[in-house]
Amino acid sequence: MTTPFERRASVADRIKSYLPYTQARPEYVAEGRLLRMVGLTLEAVGCKVPIGGHCTIRSPEVADIEAEVVGFSDQKMYLMPIEPVSGVQPGARVIPNRHVARIPVGYGLLGRILDGRGQPLDRKGPLQITEYAPLHREAINPLERNPIDEPLDVGVRAINSVLTVGRGQRMGLFAGSGVGKSVLLGMMTRFTSADITVVGLIGERGREVKEFIEHSLGAEGLKRSVVVASPADDSPLMRMHGAMLATAIAEYFRDQGKNVLLLMDSLTRYAQAQREIALAVGEPPATKGYPPSVFAKIPQLVERAGNGREGGGSITAFYTVLTEGDDVQDPVADAARAILDGHIVLARRLAEEGQYPAIDVEASISRAMPQIVTPEHLQQAQALKRLYARYQQSRDLISVGAYVAGSDPETDLAIKQIKPIRQFLAQGMLEKVDYQSACQQLQKLTTGR
């Protein structure tokens, strides 16, 4: 059994291994003392560390604990621990680390699985990288970005044809629990035409991390992917860092001229992690328990994705948004819908009917689609959505036999076409449908040519 001092040595070794990911900040060096712990937050006095700075909490007979400054009031600092704080005592030393976070980047990350700190989780040895980048980075000036002007093939027929996504677009994937969002993400990861895929598994069940990597992503998909996993039992700070780490890695590859597909599951867990931190430091709740800072953090993260500058690459991002109880008016869902470039809704009723992916094309939209497809393609997509919507409007009457054929020509056509439309929207999880094939099948379905 290891003693606290042996554990402290292992923590010190780990911090030394983390130092390449940090950058010295010599202007704050004074130690402080721990006053108290309230909920998730530690309060300390005696040292001056900026927001985002890291400290080491050192207490007798207990392993060192790393924490980040998340707020201050007068002479008190509020620290959020990254690790469990069992055994910490009042008066413990608070030692500024004099470093700000940097993260490993480079092609040596491909095929690797990282935690929220950028440390490997896959037991494949140390990362083979020589470059580092800041964890926190500002978004590109919107006037310097390339426009969204060409489609990205994601290998899913319903998205390629009816909800076409452009390179550099940011889409929301709105779904409740158990309607197939992880399978859809895995399909896009395996089938996409993007050069590199970055997957952020933020705040989900730990069991789902391995299942997603082995079953949904697969060995072939992992070869050109980087996975960042910060499951639900991680501290809220680690979960937030995981989302920012995945975004920073995607930014690096975009700056190298690559077309990157960023899949983040989920944006809701990122918002909930910020809510836990904000409430812990005393920020008042505003909308259904969410403090105002949550709705400021979401666009700060999302706006970092998108197209790069002239001559650079792109980040096409899909953010899953959990709709609790299938309520699409959830505050986080509503905020995400407003800031993203479109949304894809997965409907539970379609999943219960056995249609996968359970995409509700009636409730979904791609805002960039009119700029990246031909007028004929756009008309065909609108025609399919019109027929699908007309059938759904008359579905109850049709089910009970109350609709009389010939009453409405468009409804008659919708009834005739609903079976081919459902077959068109369904797709096996191992079936790939490229962009050109999807467009040809859509044309054949809507025009007969």
Side-chain angles (χ1 to χ4, degrees):
M1 183 176 179
T2 58
T3 68
F5 295 102
E6 291 173 332
R7 290 199 300 273
R8 175 175 296 174
S10 66
V11 170
D13 291 340
R14 189 189 63 205
I15 292 175
K16 287 179 182 178
S17 69
Y18 184 69
L19 289 181
Y21 310 149
T22 60
Q23 185 177 18
R25 293 286 298 275
E27 60 267 28
Y28 48 94
V29 295
E31 289 189 13
R33 293 289 175 180
L34 195 64
L35 286 181
R36 63 174 183 165
M37 178 176 181
V38 180
L40 300 174
T41 312
L42 301 171
E43 294 183 8
V45 293
C47 57
K48 294 183 179 179
V49 183
I51 297 293
H54 283 229
C55 297
T56 298
I57 311 298
R58 181 162 294 171
S59 187
E61 303 294 329
V62 180
D64 288 351
I65 296 167
E66 190 176 356
E68 181 175 311
V69 179
V70 294
F72 57 85
S73 176
D74 294 328
Q75 300 301 313
K76 291 191 295 185
M77 290 194 317
Y78 299 117
L79 306 173
M80 182 66 62
I82 297 177
E83 304 159 298
V85 293
S86 177
V88 171
Q89 302 174 3
R93 296 167 61 192
V94 180
I95 307 170
N97 287 350
R98 297 183 295 171
H99 295 88
V100 293
R102 300 175 69 203
I103 54 112
V105 292
Y107 291 92
L109 295 179
L110 295 178
R112 301 303 300 269
I113 303 165
L114 313 177
D115 64 10
R117 297 182 179 193
Q119 299 285 359
L121 279 175
D122 50 15
R123 298 183 179 179
K124 294 181 180 179
L127 300 175
Q128 302 300 317
I129 47 92
T130 57
E131 299 181 69
Y132 305 90
L135 179 64
H136 304 277
R137 178 175 167 180
E138 294 183 0
I140 300 174
N141 185 326
L143 298 181
E144 297 178 2
R145 289 184 185 270
N146 286 328
I148 300 172
D149 54 10
E150 61 176 307
L152 176 73
D153 184 1
V154 295
V156 179
R157 180 168 45 227
I159 298 177
N160 280 342
S161 59
V162 186
L163 303 166
T164 309
V165 176
R167 292 189 187 276
Q169 190 171 350
R170 298 159 305 186
M171 293 286 286
L173 190 60
F174 291 70
S177 57
V179 294
K181 69 180 186 311
S182 296
V183 174
L184 181 58
L185 290 179
M187 290 172 65
M188 288 192 287
T189 305
R190 294 193 304 273
F191 301 151
T192 182
S193 63
D195 301 318
I196 291 170
T197 304
V198 180
V199 182
L201 302 176
I202 310 301
E204 297 300 317
R205 291 179 287 272
R207 171 185 61 83
E208 292 184 336
V209 173
K210 187 173 183 179
E211 290 182 359
F212 178 85
I213 293 169
E214 293 184 354
H215 301 153
S216 299
L217 186 57
E220 289 300 316
L222 183 60
K223 287 181 181 178
R224 58 171 182 167
S225 302
V226 183
V227 179
V228 179
S230 183
D233 59 338
D234 277 355
S235 69
L237 203 57
M238 280 282 280
R239 282 176 265 148
M240 291 195 66
H241 282 188
M244 291 186 287
L245 173 62
T247 304
I249 292 172
E251 287 174 320
Y252 168 81
F253 288 116
R254 177 185 64 189
D255 294 343
Q256 301 299 308
K258 301 297 183 181
N259 293 314
V260 182
L261 179 64
L262 172 63
L263 305 176
M264 190 167 295
D265 186 14
S266 70
L267 190 64
T268 304
R269 302 303 188 200
Y270 172 82
Q272 290 174 347
Q274 171 60 22
R275 177 175 64 178
E276 292 177 34
I277 294 173
L279 293 177
V281 299
E283 186 179 351
T287 307
K288 292 189 177 180
Y290 286 95
S293 64
V294 172
F295 304 103
K297 288 286 187 180
I298 291 175
Q300 288 175 8
L301 180 72
V302 169
E303 285 295 329
R304 291 171 62 180
N307 279 333
R309 295 181 175 88
E310 188 70 30
S314 65
I315 300 176
T316 308
F318 283 83
Y319 299 92
T320 66
V321 181
L322 299 176
T323 51
E324 302 293 344
D326 297 327
D327 178 17
V328 294
Q329 302 304 321
D330 176 84
V332 174
D334 200 39
R337 191 184 302 107
I339 196 66
L340 294 170
D341 302 323
H343 52 272
I344 298 172
V345 178
L346 300 185
R348 187 173 301 278
R349 61 178 175 78
L350 295 177
E352 291 172 348
E353 292 173 2
Q355 177 181 315
Y356 289 100
I359 298 175
D360 186 352
V361 295
E362 185 181 11
S364 306
I365 188 171
S366 171
R367 293 176 181 168
M369 185 175 177
Q371 287 79 44
I372 59 176
V373 301
T374 64
E376 294 78 13
H377 181 176
L378 185 61
Q379 291 173 4
Q380 293 159 8
Q382 291 172 341
L384 184 145
K385 293 183 73 171
R386 224 175 12 250
L387 289 175
Y388 185 85
R390 179 57 63 95
Y391 180 84
Q392 295 301 327
Q393 292 168 5
S394 307
R395 183 175 182 177
D396 292 341
L397 293 176
I398 298 169
S399 300
V400 299
Y403 176 76
V404 179
S407 301
D408 179 68
E410 191 165 358
T411 303
D412 292 340
L413 181 58
I415 295 172
K416 179 182 177 182
Q417 290 286 88
I418 189 61
K419 185 175 181 180
I421 288 175
R422 284 177 172 169
Q423 292 174 344
F424 175 82
L425 296 176
Q427 183 175 335
M429 63 180 296
L430 300 179
E431 177 189 1
K432 177 183 179 180
V433 182
D434 61 38
Y435 178 73
Q436 293 299 332
S437 298
C439 293
Q440 292 169 2
Q441 292 174 29
L442 175 65
Q443 182 184 36
K444 183 178 180 180
L445 177 65
T446 55
T447 65
R449 292 185 285 111

